[in-house]
Amino acid sequence: MSNKELQVSTGLYLRHFRWHKILVVCLFLYPQVLYFRIFWSGNSDPWPPKSLSADKDPTSLPLELPNLIHLLYWPLTPGDGGDLLASTSHKTSTYHLRGPAQDTYALGSYLEVVLVARDHRGRPKTHGGDLFQARLLSPELRAGVPGDVQDLENGTYLLSFPLLWAGMAQVQVRLIHSSEAVGVLRRIWTEHWATIDFIGYFRGPRGDEESVSCNVNPLLIREEKSFCYYKDEDSGEFWYCDQPPTLACSMLVGHSVGHYWNVTTSHEEALLAWNLTDKVLPQGTGPVHVARNTSRILSPALPCYPGISTPKPSGFYHQDVWHSLACSNRPFPTVSSILGCLAGHIIHMMGDSTLRQWWEYLRDTVPSLKPVDLHSTYQVGPLMAVETTRGIVLHWRAHSWPLRSQRTPVASLHSVVRELGGLAGGPHTVVVLGLGAHFTTFPPSIFARRLAGIRAAVMALLEREPRTLVVIKLANTGYKSVYGSDWFTLHMNRLLRSAFAGLRVAFVDAWEMTSSLALPDKIHPGKLIVSNEVNLLLSFICPT
């Protein structure tokens, strides 16, 4: 396909589907809007929990993401009509350079590739919606950068890669989910208010216990005349449990993950099966050679500070080191360099286990940073390590409900808003937030509402003490199932960026940092990735 043909085809398609896209967005957002209308009116019932009739409305918190429609947009596709062979195939989909190949390419220029999606019979697709991920790699240089994938919504995709290092580079494209598999994920998000439940443990005065089902929505637990609800007065968030058979709602003492629900048909399971998911396409282009006038593009001389504009991509790997394209980040290769940066700082990490990996990395790397046994559930925290000679305190704790964890005391579940409200802030205070992974089992409205409260708390913290450093860790790649697909995580990150847009915060793009090298996607990435993430954090703490 020539450049002119590609442009004409794209223009005709986009004009033809302008109103189609509007209809798609409306259909996708209708359940979310309905949820807001039903469950977001005010209620002032205080803590502790009380029984509540199921016909009342106990939730309140306004949505503060004005571009939600844009953030959640994804092309609507017709599906495969029950014919698995009509879905997009990694084996038959092809890609080629856009324009003639060159003997050498200039450092700092771009490589463009046209991808044609095809079904298992080799027929070109006529619509978009597939989830492709692309990257440019150099195994010899241990280098990699994520590519930009533009869905032209006509079965073709335009891939773009910045050429950031000298030497050889090879395009790699993966089909994470076919458009038909994405349709399954979309249906789950629009038709189900959850794909998982939780267990609440109640204990009576004589030690007798009862356990019941709990969740983020009262309609997700058993349909009874009354249930227990719990309001966090700091965040305004609610949690719901079945009414225990004999014990009072106020006797809730424990929490744990419950069961994953079966929400797919056998055909949908086939579309999401491992043999069709996260598969590399056959090579469509040979290696390209980038002219060597210097080894690589240098990071900007600008120091890393909160509020800095982040380009796309935000950085790249070279010799296994992440080089930011937004600011002059630097490695911290020795224990003394890490200690020198952290001296006099109190670090508060709040979020999920991928953020706990940062706490663990610092604990394991710096021998003098000693953990303090707080006799807490390790999965949930709080965890603390201290270095007394240099005045370093390192905290981590999980966010509150919904949290997939082993049994833990309810009293240990503190909302992020509550924790932020208890901080005075200042030049020695660093706050790191890492959210997303535990919200993929719910529609995006749940995460958007949570982010609205956290954004307000971050704003309040920065207003009372602007010298506080707040760092947002984006969710990384990893899960590929109906309960935690990368397609869900992609939308979580869109919401995260939008929620904190315009605030003086720093971002660590864990999505790009976990998808730029030819390493297996894991929800808990290896030490190479984690060390680079922590080095970027330290670059914001110590920009010079």
Side-chain angles (χ1 to χ4, degrees):
M1 182 182 292
S2 68
N3 290 354
K4 184 176 181 180
E5 290 171 332
L6 181 64
Q7 292 169 358
V8 171
S9 173
T10 301
L12 289 174
Y13 186 87
L14 294 179
R15 285 196 296 272
H16 179 70
F17 277 88
R18 183 178 293 114
W19 290 106
H20 165 76
K21 291 167 68 176
I22 295 174
L23 176 61
V24 168
V25 173
C26 293
L27 289 174
F28 181 66
L29 291 182
Y30 175 75
Q32 317 308 329
V33 174
L34 181 62
Y35 179 89
F36 299 150
R37 290 289 301 275
I38 295 175
F39 293 105
W40 282 33
S41 66
N43 183 286
S44 57
D45 290 338
W47 187 277
K50 298 180 180 180
S51 296
L52 182 69
S53 173
D55 62 353
K56 292 185 179 180
D57 177 4
T59 59
S60 66
L61 194 60
L63 183 65
E64 297 180 4
L65 298 176
N67 54 344
L68 184 64
I69 291 178
H70 169 71
L71 294 172
L72 298 181
Y73 174 74
W74 196 269
L76 188 65
T77 58
D80 61 5
D83 179 9
L84 188 65
L85 297 180
S87 64
T88 306
S89 168
H90 69 278
K91 295 180 179 179
T92 61
S93 296
T94 58
Y95 59 94
H96 58 272
L97 291 178
R98 186 183 187 186
Q102 303 176 27
D103 292 335
T104 60
Y105 291 80
L107 189 68
S109 63
Y110 279 79
L111 185 71
E112 292 189 328
V113 171
V114 176
L115 188 158
V116 179
R118 304 176 188 273
D119 67 16
H120 289 265
R121 297 184 178 92
R123 299 176 301 190
K125 304 297 286 289
T126 58
H127 58 79
D130 301 293
L131 179 56
F132 286 104
Q133 285 185 20
R135 51 197 174 195
L136 195 66
L137 301 170
S138 177
E140 297 80 9
L141 297 172
R142 303 192 302 281
V145 65
D148 179 67
V149 180
Q150 181 184 357
D151 187 349
L152 301 180
E153 300 190 25
N154 60 1
T156 60
Y157 300 77
L158 182 60
L159 316 181
S160 179
F161 306 88
L163 301 176
L164 301 171
W165 61 83
M168 304 303 290
Q170 175 69 58
V171 172
Q172 184 189 83
V173 181
R174 292 182 297 157
L175 175 62
I176 305 299
H177 292 304
S178 66
S179 60
E180 292 75 19
V182 168
V184 176
L185 302 177
R186 183 206 303 274
R187 181 190 67 77
I188 291 170
W189 249 7
T190 55
E191 295 182 6
H192 295 269
W193 280 345
T195 55
I196 192 174
D197 64 6
F198 302 84
I199 300 173
Y201 301 88
F202 294 76
R203 183 183 301 125
R206 297 182 178 85
D208 48 322
E209 288 198 354
E210 296 174 351
S211 59
V212 299
S213 177
C214 302
N215 223 312
V216 299
N217 188 310
L219 300 183
L220 294 172
I221 57 181
R222 288 199 304 266
E223 295 182 2
E224 298 181 347
K225 291 184 179 179
S226 63
F227 51 84
C228 302
Y229 79 99
Y230 306 89
K231 181 181 180 182
D232 185 301
E233 290 298 330
D234 297 292
S235 67
E237 289 292 321
F238 283 81
W239 186 249
Y240 305 89
C241 292
D242 277 336
Q243 176 78 47
T246 63
L247 299 179
C249 290
S250 58
M251 296 177 179
L252 178 65
V253 295
H255 164 84
S256 77
V257 67
H259 307 88
Y260 290 95
W261 299 343
N262 183 9
V263 294
T264 54
T265 66
S266 57
H267 179 68
E268 290 174 334
E269 290 172 2
L271 287 169
L272 292 161
W274 68 269
N275 60 318
L276 301 182
T277 301
D278 190 15
K279 297 301 179 183
V280 177
L281 274 62
Q283 286 190 3
T285 66
V288 299
H289 184 266
V290 182
R292 184 180 296 278
N293 53 0
T294 184
S295 63
R296 62 174 175 84
I297 295 291
L298 299 178
S299 296
L302 189 67
C304 296
Y305 61 87
I308 193 171
S309 177
T310 304
K312 186 175 176 60
S314 63
F316 66 100
Y317 285 102
H318 187 265
Q319 301 295 342
D320 286 340
V321 175
W322 180 260
H323 300 275
S324 172
L325 293 175
C327 61
S328 182
N329 72 310
R330 57 195 177 98
F332 292 79
T334 64
V335 171
S336 60
S337 64
I338 296 174
L339 285 173
C341 178
L342 292 179
H345 285 90
I346 303 175
I347 317 294
H348 298 272
M349 300 181 181
M350 311 170 200
D352 57 39
S353 56
T354 65
L355 185 57
R356 187 181 68 221
Q357 286 186 275
W358 293 14
W359 186 91
E360 294 167 337
Y361 171 80
L362 290 169
R363 176 202 62 189
D364 297 340
T365 303
V366 181
S368 59
L369 196 57
K370 300 299 184 182
V372 178
D373 188 358
L374 300 179
H375 303 286
S376 59
T377 305
Y378 187 81
Q379 263 193 320
V380 177
L383 305 178
M384 184 170 70
V386 298
E387 216 280 3
T388 56
T389 60
R390 296 177 185 256
I392 302 171
V393 182
L394 185 65
H395 292 278
W396 175 86
R397 74 179 312 141
H399 60 74
S400 186
W401 297 308
L403 185 69
R404 301 193 294 270
S405 70
Q406 64 190 47
R407 180 169 175 173
T408 191
V410 167
S412 296
L413 300 177
H414 293 189
S415 69
V416 173
V417 172
R418 174 180 171 183
E419 291 295 302
L420 292 174
L423 297 179
H428 301 290
T429 301
V430 179
V431 172
V432 188
L433 306 179
L435 307 165
H438 290 257
F439 291 85
T440 58
T441 53
F442 306 96
S445 57
I446 299 297
F447 192 49
R449 187 177 65 195
R450 180 65 57 89
L451 289 178
I454 295 175
R455 174 187 168 87
V458 169
M459 290 178 63
L461 173 60
L462 294 177
E463 285 174 359
R464 64 179 175 263
E465 184 43 86
R467 294 174 295 175
T468 307
L469 173 61
V470 178
V471 180
I472 310 298
K473 175 194 173 294
L474 298 183
N476 53 258
T477 58
Y479 291 134
K480 304 291 188 291
S481 75
V482 296
Y483 308 106
S485 164
D486 281 348
W487 186 77
F488 294 144
T489 305
L490 179 66
H491 289 83
M492 299 291 101
N493 280 337
R494 290 176 177 179
L495 292 171
L496 270 167
R497 280 202 178 276
S498 181
F500 295 100
L503 299 186
R504 196 173 180 273
V505 302
F507 287 94
V508 173
D509 195 336
W511 174 274
E512 289 190 353
M513 297 179 78
T514 54
S515 61
S516 296
L517 293 176
L519 299 173
D521 280 349
K522 298 190 297 183
I523 193 61
H524 295 116
K527 184 177 180 179
L528 187 153
I529 304 293
V530 174
S531 63
N532 278 284
E533 292 174 342
V534 172
N535 282 341
L536 186 52
L537 166 69
L538 295 175
S539 294
F540 282 106
I541 298 174
C542 305
T544 58

